[in-house]
Amino acid sequence: MKLKKYIPLILIALILILFALFSQKIGFHDSSEYITFAKNFAGIKNVDLFNTHSIVYPALISVFLKIWPSATMLKLVNVGWIFLISLVLFFWLKDKRAFLLFAFSPLTWFVSIQTTPVLPASFFFLVAYLFLKKEHIRYRLFYSGFFLGLAYAFYDPMIFLIAIFVLTYFWDKKFYLVFSYLIFLFIGVLPRLILDYAVFNMPFYSIIRFFGTNMIISLGLYEGASTLHILNNLSALLIIFIISPFLFRLYKLKFAENKKDVVFLAISGILILVRTAGFKYFLIATILLIYLAKVLSKREIKWHCIISIFIIIWLAAGFFTYTHEIDIQKDLAEITSEFEEIDYLVTGTYEAGYLASLSWEKEPYFAWYEDFKAKADNQTHLTGYDFGFDSDLALRDQLIISANFKRTNNRTYENSIFV
């Protein structure tokens, strides 16, 4: 009888493992950045690293890659967070309805194998939220603050949700509680600051890079990027069905009894939709399913599961039929066997990280075309930005703030070929 109770958990664990074993795709948005960092930490150093995000998740993944350096291990680590969220819903929250909604949510399976810090951030954010709600737990606010800070340590954009979270749930609290909460939130962020200091000799390095990149995008200086992604990706509106085909039933939630929750979910949901317009980012809103479980009938939950199976097949079928990355790996193997004396593979613009993420060998080294060209042109900087301020008045001088990205090596790129 006890084993029968855990059958749902055993089934989701088995299916997650099968997803990791048989899916063919590892390249998703920003994934090459995290993968190359993780491989570098694990000892596979085959490319100069590009960094604009926290490196906490790659550092954690590297622990497992040292055991088994492979794409399968990458995906097993990723799906592990889905299982941890399932455990929280099943054992701690003891909400079988919310567990079922999450287990059959198309979003769950769409994000499951992606190498993204959204996964650990979603887990720690959920834990922080539940601690906030569990009023019978002593020091619950301190635990909540710590895990909320840990969510940010993994994933930069969490800072915006944290701001909304704190303003929503603490606007009417006494100052000492808010201050104490923020102190423990900072303690949760410390692992990131310590890691940045150990790797970059600067505790705020990745934070500066993240906000610097976002400032460049906001000022329109980064070609092809925008702060309003929803304008270029209206298909993101399908998230209403990707989370659950019955998400619209949340209108039945009593606003008076859940005022703060509705306000937080509404504001954060709109922010994620407008700013990112990507399905994976909504995994942070797992709490939507917790509230949806309160308003759906058994019949509706059953139909949620049935309809979601077809949406999951539509979303994730490509993960198992995708052959492009396999073809690239075969090509790379042929190239390296044919040109055994080659030291560098010079890649196309912005492709070095992606190609290096598909190779599990230390040699040859993948070179960024930008760096190759800078060396050929005898330049010391890869790129730079000038931020000027125009004035209607006749000033003596003009204020210009500059940012430059300097080459970190002086490679000559002998014994190299283009791929």
Side-chain angles (χ1 to χ4, degrees), residues 82-377:
I82 297 295
F83 186 66
L84 287 175
I85 294 174
S86 302
L87 288 177
V88 169
L89 297 175
F90 194 89
F91 283 113
W92 188 22
L93 196 60
K94 291 181 172 60
D95 190 336
K96 304 297 173 58
R97 294 160 62 90
F99 168 81
L100 272 177
L101 291 180
F102 178 76
F104 281 89
S105 171
L107 180 62
T108 297
W109 300 98
F110 176 73
V111 183
S112 62
I113 62 168
Q114 297 191 33
T115 304
T116 170
V118 170
L119 287 164
S122 299
F123 170 74
F124 290 117
F125 178 72
L126 176 62
V127 172
Y129 176 80
L130 292 179
F131 267 119
L132 182 72
K133 289 294 182 177
K134 298 288 186 179
E135 297 184 359
H136 65 281
I137 298 179
R138 193 177 183 185
Y139 305 125
R140 64 186 176 90
L141 293 182
F142 301 148
Y143 294 134
S144 175
F146 172 76
F147 285 110
L148 195 61
L150 204 54
Y152 171 67
F154 277 89
Y155 188 50
D156 294 281
M158 280 300 305
I159 193 169
F160 304 113
L161 294 187
I162 287 173
I164 300 170
F165 188 88
V166 173
L167 288 173
T168 302
Y169 290 103
F170 289 88
W171 68 272
D172 57 348
K173 296 291 189 294
K174 294 181 179 179
F175 175 77
Y176 81 91
L177 279 178
V178 180
F179 183 75
S180 301
Y181 192 83
L182 293 177
I183 289 294
F184 278 83
L185 192 153
F186 177 75
I187 294 173
V189 179
L190 278 178
R192 173 177 183 164
L193 303 182
I194 294 170
L195 183 61
D196 271 17
Y197 182 77
V199 174
F200 304 116
N201 293 316
M202 167 60 176
F204 305 103
Y205 182 84
S206 62
I207 295 176
I208 293 172
R209 288 300 301 262
F210 172 77
F211 282 102
T213 300
N214 275 266
M215 182 177 70
I216 291 171
I217 293 174
S218 299
L219 294 173
L221 299 176
Y222 197 98
E223 186 178 353
S226 169
T227 54
L228 300 176
H229 291 274
I230 186 63
L231 298 178
N232 301 319
N233 187 19
L234 292 177
S235 63
L237 295 174
L238 291 174
I239 191 63
I240 298 172
F241 306 100
I242 303 303
I243 294 176
S244 169
F246 286 87
L247 190 65
F248 70 94
R249 300 292 279 176
L250 278 174
Y251 76 86
K252 295 174 64 177
L253 197 65
K254 295 180 180 178
F255 179 77
E257 297 177 8
N258 305 278
K259 187 183 300 183
K260 290 184 178 180
D261 303 302
V262 172
V263 169
F264 170 72
L265 291 171
I267 296 175
S268 59
I270 292 172
L271 176 65
I272 295 172
L273 183 64
V274 172
R275 182 64 181 86
T276 65
F279 293 156
K280 69 177 181 180
Y281 304 103
F282 282 88
L283 189 65
I284 294 170
T286 304
I287 50 178
L288 279 172
L289 296 176
I290 295 175
Y291 284 99
L292 187 61
K294 299 179 185 297
V295 298
L296 292 186
S297 64
K298 288 184 177 180
R299 183 173 178 271
E300 287 171 327
I301 291 178
K302 176 183 176 181
W303 277 106
H304 159 89
C305 298
I306 295 172
I307 297 172
S308 290
I309 290 174
F310 293 98
I311 301 177
I312 291 168
I313 293 172
W314 170 63
L315 279 177
F319 296 172
F320 300 90
T321 59
Y322 190 73
T323 60
H324 182 62
E325 292 174 1
I326 295 175
D327 292 338
I328 289 177
Q329 290 172 322
K330 290 179 180 178
D331 289 344
L332 290 174
E334 290 181 11
I335 291 171
T336 53
S337 63
E338 184 175 350
F339 300 93
E340 295 180 357
E341 302 301 322
I342 291 301
D343 296 322
Y344 300 100
L345 296 181
V346 182
T347 70
T349 303
Y350 306 118
E351 292 180 352
Y354 174 61
L355 295 180
S357 70
L358 300 177
S359 173
W360 293 89
E361 304 295 332
K362 296 180 181 180
E363 297 177 347
Y365 204 85
F366 291 85
W368 297 82
Y369 174 74
E370 296 80 2
D371 193 68
F372 176 86
K373 188 174 186 303
K375 175 60 182 177
D377 295 341

